[in-house]
Amino acid sequence: SDPFRYIASIRDKAEHAGMLKIVPPSSWKCPCPIKDKGDFHFQTCVQPVDQLQRRHGPSARFISALRRFNRRREVFMADEIP
């Protein structure tokens, strides 16, 4: 019942291929199934692959938004003290 122990036990058999597909037995049931009610959605976003090297990550966008928010309240971050 410990998936990590099982993976460790078959590691030598799978290591030469570089990957392994584990198929659970047909009797296995997911302990936390998502009920298909039509109201559950994964949030997705489009990632422009051609811009991966010159993009600003989520943290850069967050810091930029935080700076704008603080400037409106005349609160300055340490590196932008007037």
Side-chain angles (χ1 to χ4, degrees), residues 3 6 9 14 19 23-24 29 41 48-49 56 65 67 72 78-79:
Y6 175 71
S9 74
M19 68 175 128
V23 179
K29 299 294 180 203
H41 300 283
V49 179
H56 292 291
R67 287 181 195 277
R72 282 186 250 140
D79 64 340

Side-chain angles (χ1 to χ4, degrees), residues 63-64 66-68 70-71 75-82:
I63 293 295
S64 177
L66 181 61
R67 287 181 195 277
R68 284 192 306 273
N70 284 337
R71 275 192 215 119
V75 176
F76 297 95
M77 298 177 85
D79 64 340
E80 59 178 12
I81 297 174

Side-chain angles (χ1 to χ4, degrees), residues 2 11 14 19-20 35 39 46 53 60 67 70 72:
D2 182 7
R11 181 176 180 169
M19 68 175 128
L20 175 70
K35 304 216 184 321
D39 58 349
V46 175
Q53 294 297 321
R67 287 181 195 277
N70 284 337
R72 282 186 250 140

